[in-house]
Amino acid sequence: QETASTLVALSILEAAAESVSLAGWESLAKVTERNVPKMDAQGIAHTLDALSKLESVSSMISSGCWLRLAEATEHRSRGFSPHHIATVLSALVNLDAAATAVSTEGWVRLAATAQRHTRTMDAPHVAIALSALAELHAAAKPISPAGWLRWAAATDREASRMDAGAIANTLNALSRLDLASRTRCPLVWKNLATAVERTAPLMSASQVSTTLRALSELHDVASLLSQTGWQKLTST
């Protein structure tokens, strides 16, 4: 796991990453390629997450390594925790080479793993995973109506614990996934509307814009906002 830990650290420590030479990045890319077969679920998740943030090293990863990373992701998917699967899906949004290398069956496995964890995912991971599913058509496609009901239930359960950013991102994802037409869960919309009103005063200008755009598509949520809620949202 040392390679994954190094990549994660460099993705966080900007000053350290800036001090790495071209030869250093090339060496890290080679070490990453060599260690893929040894990585467990956590190592795969951390490596993909770091590579999605470190273009200096991800640009040096070979097509063969992306394929091996994709295969390892598929094979380790059942061992992913809620944190791991949310992290992996989010990373794949920003790693075209890795996402392209995932097989159709691999996407089915990843979608099934994410769905299995919906009952225990916390608010940040629900928001992250839904945002990723909105971007990754191949991951969203295998999800059944019953699966979307589980995502709706997770959203309902965690809405009260989401911060302003998570609410804005979740609404944006739900509008893009068209969850309203996939399932009918009035309680989800009520809890989301309540969460919008709660977090509106804390939203940045960008988050307000994202929320308003999403609400223009999510009529069931918008219809439940009170006049005070709209005032909070539009006066932020």
Side-chain angles (χ1 to χ4, degrees), residues 3 27-39 65 68:
T3 303
S27 177
L28 268 174
K30 290 178 181 178
V31 171
T32 300
E33 295 197 20
R34 189 167 62 246
N35 287 334
V36 169
K38 306 173 186 177
M39 292 180 183
C65 182
R68 289 191 291 278

Side-chain angles (χ1 to χ4, degrees), residues 11 14-15 28 65 75 92 103 123 152 157 177 185 192:
S11 72
E14 186 175 339
L28 268 174
C65 182
H75 295 153
L92 290 174
S103 69
R157 184 188 69 241
L177 290 165
C185 296
L192 278 172

